[in-house]
Amino acid sequence: MVAGALLWVAASAHAAQTLDVLHWWTSISERQAANSLATALAGEQITWRDAAIPGGAGVGAFKVLKSRVLSGHAPDVAQLIGPTIGDWAQLGLLLELDDVATDEDWQTAFFPTVWKLSRFQRHVVAVPVGIHRINNLYYRPEVFAEFGLLPPRNWAEFERVAAHLQRAGITPLAQSSEPWQVATLFETLLLAETGPAFYRQLLRQRDPNDWLDARVRRALERLRSLKRWMPQPLAQRSWDEMARGFARGDAAMWVMGDWARGELNSFGLEVDRHFGCAAVPGTAGMHLYSVDTFAMLSDDYGKQRQQEAFARLAASVPVQLTYNRIKGSVPVRRDIDPAQLDPCSRQSWQTFGQGEAVQAPSIVHRMATDEGMKDAIIAQVHRYFSEDQIPATEVQRRLAAISKALK
Ligand code: GAL
């Protein structure tokens, strides 16, 4: 009996030191980045119990999270990102991290947009770990050098570069047909056409008529016209498979969020030496962002100490530098030394630091709308991209109608 009781005490003490973490980081660099957080936690005798759900952009992880919460098996920590964190907070599911935030002076340390994304109704409900930039054009410098080409700054230059490459038998632009990846390309084109102010208005003010704007039509038409520079037919490949293909030389350019840079680095490739990084044409000086945040799920405060330790550590300067270097994102803090970042990250961090005027929230990566609108945009854009007979104006009308219905 006594031995049994002791065992139970030991087991529960052990369990109390463990945090069950649900996230969607399964590529090589994502795994390494998660491991860097787990190592930091281990330093405080807290074990990261991994609950990774494959699927880029969290497509699967969000569904699993919902079903785990509904069945009473919520993880202790979950990768919950964007304004919908508020829905979870409103249900009383999230631990408030106000004490940690005050002790660590997060409000001063974080960029204002990041600070806003960590809060709901004046309470801190998530810890931010990194800022991703989506509007990146990766290119292969050796191919550009061979043909005397420069990374295109606008779409006219892009067309010239792409035509040149195609004539030389090189696929100009890599792309997967996975819906979220198509929509990720689209949101960069939307930003290029509209600029950050109209982009934000379209998604935030939700005036259905904005979807009928000529700039939206032009972004859709650009999306379709880019198909002629992509391999046909397009394969449905995960983004990390795409990164491997790009590293092998499948195409000369690729538009993807900078988690791709983390992945290319994990293959031993370095920015400026093995691959180049520029802004998507027409978006220099703009920052289409996705901020990764973790929220702490709590019903009985049984893991509060460990959850607070997680939050404190994840946002600390040393962990921010180590983690983000691997992940491809940049620190959420304003008080780091940018000399520590590679040129591409420095560009991202400094651009984001210019403030809201240059920032645009990613639709696909949950920064801009609720889940319903995000899913509708992805579905409509993907359908339009796959079926050439659908006119852009039909997609615009549908998105206006959906936006009205969901408002
Ligand atoms: C984003 C997320 C990144 C990265 C990417 C690919 O939504 O912010 O951290 O994981 O998806 O899955």
Side-chain angles (χ1 to χ4, degrees):
M1 271 304 276
V2 175
L6 275 178
L7 263 182
W8 181 84
V9 170
S12 55
H14 176 75
Q17 296 302 319
T18 297
L19 288 177
D20 194 13
V21 187
L22 190 144
H23 60 92
W24 61 86
W25 293 338
T26 52
S27 79
I28 299 171
S29 57
E30 286 178 330
R31 278 254 56 99
Q32 290 170 345
N35 285 347
S36 79
L37 297 178
T39 305
L41 269 185
E44 305 232 340
Q45 278 72 51
I46 300 168
T47 306
W48 166 300
R49 192 165 55 215
D50 202 69
I53 309 294
V59 173
F62 256 67
K63 296 193 181 104
V64 172
L65 177 62
K66 270 189 196 150
S67 68
R68 281 191 58 173
V69 170
L70 288 173
S71 66
H73 297 100
D76 304 312
V77 185
Q79 187 180 4
L80 262 181
I81 69 178
T84 47
I85 296 174
D87 302 342
W88 298 78
Q90 204 154 26
L91 291 170
L93 292 166
L94 306 185
L95 180 72
E96 286 166 5
L97 298 166
D98 298 319
D99 291 347
V100 180
T102 308
D103 285 355
E104 305 285 322
D105 198 8
W106 281 1
Q107 181 166 8
T108 313
F110 296 168
F111 289 106
T113 300
V114 171
W115 174 239
K116 213 171 174 180
L117 282 165
S118 314
R119 294 165 82 229
F120 176 68
Q121 289 179 348
R122 291 199 295 281
H123 289 289
V124 178
V125 290
V127 57
V129 289
I131 304 164
H132 276 298
R133 188 180 193 182
I134 318 280
N135 54 317
N136 311 288
L137 177 77
Y138 295 107
Y139 62 94
R140 290 175 48 221
E142 81 283 7
V143 176
F144 275 63
E146 186 185 340
F147 297 104
L149 301 171
L150 291 173
R153 289 163 303 183
N154 52 50
W155 290 106
E157 288 181 6
F158 182 92
E159 295 291 315
R160 279 198 293 277
V161 166
H164 197 117
L165 292 165
Q166 204 168 56
R167 275 198 304 276
I170 296 165
T171 302
L173 188 62
Q175 181 64 42
S176 162
S177 66
E178 230 189 347
W180 76 263
Q181 292 189 61
V182 172
T184 296
L185 173 61
F186 170 70
E187 64 184 19
T188 72
L189 304 176
L190 184 64
L191 177 62
E193 276 302 328
T194 66
F198 183 73
Y199 178 106
R200 284 196 307 270
Q201 175 187 317
L202 172 73
L203 295 153
R204 295 243 169 92
Q205 292 182 11
R206 306 269 301 253
D207 175 351
N209 287 327
D210 281 347
W211 283 105
L212 306 176
D213 193 278
R215 287 166 284 188
V216 177
R217 193 196 71 235
R218 285 200 295 271
L220 284 163
E221 287 169 354
R222 167 93 51 217
L223 176 70
R224 183 170 282 156
S225 80
L226 287 180
K227 279 171 90 170
R228 67 188 194 283
W229 309 121
M230 300 170 182
Q232 292 297 336
L234 284 188
Q236 175 149 345
R237 290 186 175 169
S238 66
W239 73 267
D240 48 326
E241 280 168 8
M242 294 297 296
R244 279 191 290 279
F246 181 71
R248 272 196 311 266
D250 286 358
M253 295 181 277
W254 182 32
V255 172
M256 188 40 66
D258 52 14
W259 43 88
R261 183 159 41 80
E263 198 69 1
L264 294 172
N265 291 156
S266 80
F267 308 149
L269 306 182
E270 281 169 36
V271 69
D272 286 350
R273 268 190 73 198
H274 306 103
F275 66 96
C277 140
V280 165
T283 69
M286 303 175 199
H287 200 296
L288 182 58
Y289 65 86
S290 170
V291 177
D292 277 320
T293 46
F294 280 98
M296 313 294 159
L297 288 112
S298 168
D299 45 13
D300 61 358
Y301 298 97
K303 297 276 178 87
Q304 183 172 359
R305 190 190 67 77
Q306 293 82 358
Q307 289 167 319
E308 288 181 346
F310 181 116
R312 196 182 303 271
L313 270 172
S316 69
V317 173
V319 173
Q320 279 287 294
L321 287 171
T322 311
Y323 160 84
N324 281 296
R325 195 171 295 134
I326 306 171
K327 185 68 169 65
S329 43
V330 297
V332 296
R333 308 182 62 109
R334 300 190 274 193
D335 57 354
I336 54 111
D337 175 8
Q340 306 247 18
L341 309 176
D342 76 27
C344 192
S345 309
R346 195 156 45 240
Q347 197 36 251
S348 165
W349 187 82
Q350 283 167 341
T351 306
F352 192 83
Q354 305 284 308
E356 215 190 355
V358 304
Q359 296 172 357
S362 164
I363 304 166
V364 178
H365 301 278
R366 301 192 166 79
M367 296 294 121
T369 68
D370 54 45
E371 288 284 296
M373 192 65 205
K374 164 188 82 79
D375 290 341
I377 297 171
I378 295 177
Q380 292 301 325
V381 166
H382 183 248
R383 188 167 156 264
Y384 166 80
F385 181 75
S386 321
E387 297 173 30
D388 284 336
Q389 72 285 4
I390 301 175
T393 46
E394 183 187 317
V395 179
Q396 288 181 276
R397 273 198 305 275
R398 281 169 180 253
L399 287 174
I402 295 169
S403 165
K404 197 168 170 190
L406 291 177
K407 204 169 172 179

